[in-house]
Amino acid sequence: MNTYSEHDLREAFSSLASTEPAPGDVWGPVRSRIARRRRVRLGMATVGVAVAGAVVATLSGSGPGSDRVVPAGADTPARLTLAPVHALSPAEREATAQVLRQRLDAAGLGRVQLTVGADSVELVVRPSDLDLAGLLTERGDLQLRQVLAVSPDAGTGGVTGPIGTATDLSAATTLLERGDCAQPAPAGPPAGGADGAAAPPPGSYLVACDAASSLKYLFAPSALGSSAVTSARATLDPVARQWSVLVTLSATGAEAWHSLTAQAARQPSLARCSASPAGCNAIGIVIDGRTVAMPSVQPHGGITGGVLAIPLGDAPRVVAEGTAADLTTGTLPVRLNKVTACRAGCPADG
Amino acid sequence: MREETERDFREFVTARSGPLFRLACALTADPHHAEDLVQTALFKAWRSWHRVRSADDPDAYVRRVMVNAATSGWRRRWRGEVPSDRLPELTSSDPVDLVGDRDALVRAVRALPAKQRAAIALRYFADLDDPAIADALGCSVSTVRSQISRGLATLRVRTDRDCLSTQESM
């Protein structure tokens, strides 16, 4: 079994830590957090005065009985506000509400207050459920794409994520060779899709960067995706103590998954496949444009049984449960962008 | 007074954000997560700024806050690309293979449990000794050594200490 040296390990950490923000890039967000904390503290002080006033009024019998003052604290609901990338039509509003309600039910948040308007979506949740609620509002678009080629990125300070899509292999190969991970390619449709969706068009080739390893990947068009999923559930590997999502595919999906993995199994590994016309033995599992896993298929053939495991690495349980709920209920018709996530001391309206 | 404190803190941020960000990249193996981590650590440092400033080693204080944030709770949330869990059998002088080797090792580092990765990053990136790592992680020196040992075994990294002990025993 081959091993790595201490030098290799130090080099790996050096490549992970090769990017550096300008000082202003750090100071700006930190200053914003400080300013926000000052505002929250001021707000809490105001509430405190109001509560004291209400207590005094009640004891003295002079206050109006219908007035209620809600103290800020653990029971104060959190509020998540999102904006669709374009105004929702009545049909899109209905579909968005239906998918979100199904996801909330599936995740055990059935009592969450959900409001879907043409220009905004709002969820009022317990503060402890705010992170899960955020995950449930992801678009939930799954794409399974074979890796066709790998190329080192010559630049520095690159991003992790898609840098472009192309409708034909020649253009995609050019993008792989010339695309700069620090500057997403201007040519071709946007990597996130022309309709404002987070996911790239499933029928296009996709080029994505991994900043940590300074590598670019070329992915084939998606062989199957969200429509092939019948259910998904979070599961914990008791040995590795890592969460993954087990996806059960429809009969058609299972057939497509077997074909995809059988084709990939015959190809060389990621380190040796750049010259291979039929690509590599790895499959990119892409959710909302992010490559969440890239498992290699063992050479003994395609995967049967119609079950797909998505490893989530260090992800906590809430991510696995949120992802499972997203995949079970299908995609949202339109991507929702987070506007505000207020965990404590939220204003009564929006 | 408040302006003076803020200026003092801002100077600290300007001077230290680069090294802190690089350490955060090593701790999280994700530059986007690292940005968030540095901001969180500095914000927490601001909340206790008088204590940080009067500490013997303000850097160590902020580093401890950052390591704690990186290895606990929601901070460990998954982001971006997560690798497969198998290391390919590679070690070669072929440039294409070397790309694969580096890629595989970086991926394996990213897949380590957060505390193991933090312990290894503090020793092999930040070059801290075991007592300093124990201080940053808030655990004993023996726990640090076992975390590093398990992590190195997972990564299949043979350290210089291993080589020395092998030579000594020959």
Side-chain angles (χ1 to χ4, degrees), chain B residues 83-97:
Chain B
S84 63
D85 54 0
R86 287 195 180 84
L87 279 172
E89 294 290 331
L90 292 171
T91 288
S92 148
S93 57
D94 183 328
V96 175
D97 284 356

Side-chain angles (χ1 to χ4, degrees), chain A residues 22-32 34 38, chain B residues 1-18 20 42-43 45-46 49 53:
Chain A
D25 291 346
V26 175
W27 172 244
V30 172
R31 185 176 54 184
S32 298
I34 292 169
R38 283 177 178 152
Chain B
M1 180 66 183
R2 188 162 114 175
E3 281 178 11
E4 193 181 323
T5 306
E6 188 161 319
R7 190 169 55 244
D8 190 32
F9 178 65
R10 181 174 186 167
E11 282 172 4
F12 178 84
V13 171
T14 305
R16 306 305 302 154
S17 59
L20 285 172
L42 288 170
F43 174 62
W46 161 257
W49 184 236
R53 214 51 183 130

Side-chain angles (χ1 to χ4, degrees), chain B residues 75-116:
Chain B
R75 288 282 151 212
R76 283 154 53 184
R77 64 180 294 179
W78 152 78
R79 288 177 188 215
E81 194 168 296
V82 175
S84 63
D85 54 0
R86 287 195 180 84
L87 279 172
E89 294 290 331
L90 292 171
T91 288
S92 148
S93 57
D94 183 328
V96 175
D97 284 356
L98 288 176
V99 169
D101 267 2
R102 184 179 59 171
D103 182 33
L105 185 54
V106 167
R107 286 167 177 283
V109 168
R110 294 171 77 186
L112 282 179
K115 282 192 178 165
Q116 284 181 21

Side-chain angles (χ1 to χ4, degrees), chain A residues 16 27 54 83 144 196 206 212 225 242 247 266 344:
Chain A
L16 283 168
W27 172 244
L144 301 175
L206 169 68
Q242 292 190 328
V247 176
R266 294 191 288 271

Side-chain angles (χ1 to χ4, degrees), chain A residues 28-284:
Chain A
V30 172
R31 185 176 54 184
S32 298
R33 287 194 191 191
I34 292 169
R36 200 158 57 234
R37 176 181 162 83
R38 283 177 178 152
R39 285 198 298 273
V40 168
R41 292 182 74 171
L42 182 64
M44 288 178 72
T46 308
V47 170
V49 170
V51 170
V55 170
V56 170
T58 303
L59 289 175
S60 64
S62 59
S66 58
D67 284 356
R68 290 175 59 225
V69 178
V70 180
D75 295 333
T76 308
R79 190 181 301 272
L80 177 65
T81 308
L82 307 112
V85 290
H86 61 72
L88 299 176
S89 67
E92 287 172 335
R93 279 178 65 176
E94 191 176 331
T96 299
Q98 187 179 350
V99 170
L100 287 178
R101 184 51 72 192
Q102 285 174 354
R103 289 180 179 179
L104 291 166
D105 288 342
L109 303 184
R111 296 179 65 187
V112 162
Q113 182 184 319
L114 170 68
T115 310
V116 179
D119 298 315
S120 76
V121 173
E122 187 177 272
L123 293 91
V124 180
V125 301
R126 289 187 308 182
S128 57
D129 293 331
L130 185 62
D131 294 324
L132 178 56
L135 289 162
L136 297 176
T137 56
E138 300 278 332
R139 188 149 189 253
D141 180 276
L142 171 70
Q143 297 180 356
L144 301 175
R145 296 167 172 265
Q146 187 192 351
V147 180
L148 294 181
V150 188
S151 172
D153 176 41
T156 56
V159 298
T160 292
I163 58 166
T165 61
T167 51
D168 65 84
L169 182 57
S170 167
T173 305
T174 304
L175 183 58
L176 176 73
E177 289 166 357
R178 299 183 189 168
D180 184 347
C181 289
Q183 294 177 338
D195 62 349
S204 66
Y205 293 87
L206 169 68
V207 177
C209 291
D210 177 19
S213 59
S214 298
L215 290 173
K216 294 177 282 187
Y217 295 91
L218 168 59
F219 295 97
S222 178
L224 68 160
S226 300
S227 61
V229 175
T230 56
S231 66
R233 67 182 172 86
T235 179
L236 177 67
D237 180 333
V239 178
R241 306 295 300 168
Q242 292 190 328
W243 286 93
S244 58
V245 175
L246 277 186
V247 176
T248 304
L249 301 167
S250 63
T252 316
E255 204 172 305
W257 177 236
H258 176 259
S259 300
L260 175 64
T261 50
Q263 143 73 15
R266 294 191 288 271
Q267 310 313 323
S269 69
L270 280 173
R272 301 166 197 275
C273 66
S274 285
S276 164
C280 318
N281 71 348
I283 308 290

Side-chain angles (χ1 to χ4, degrees), chain A residues 1-2 4 6 10 16 19-21 27 33 210 215 217 242 271-272 291-294 314-315 318-319, chain B residues 10 21-22 25 36 40 74 78 81-82 90 96 99 103 107 110-112 114 124 127 156-158 160:
Chain A
M1 182 183 286
N2 292 327
Y4 295 94
E6 188 176 317
R10 291 181 185 276
L16 283 168
T19 54
E20 185 170 338
W27 172 244
R33 287 194 191 191
D210 177 19
L215 290 173
Y217 295 91
Q242 292 190 328
R272 301 166 197 275
T291 309
V292 301
M294 204 154 31
D314 259 355
V318 67
V319 170
Chain B
R10 181 174 186 167
F21 179 74
R22 285 192 290 275
C25 284
D36 191 31
T40 299
W74 180 241
W78 152 78
E81 194 168 296
V82 175
L90 292 171
V96 175
V99 169
D103 182 33
R107 286 167 177 283
R110 294 171 77 186
L112 282 179
Y124 293 103
D127 285 324
R156 302 208 307 255
V157 167
R158 191 172 170 78
D160 296 345

Side-chain angles (χ1 to χ4, degrees), chain B residues 54-75:
Chain B
S54 58
D56 291 341
D57 185 353
D59 281 350
Y61 189 103
V62 178
R63 187 169 59 224
R64 197 161 47 238
V65 171
M66 197 158 76
V67 169
N68 184 43
T71 57
S72 62
W74 180 241
R75 288 282 151 212

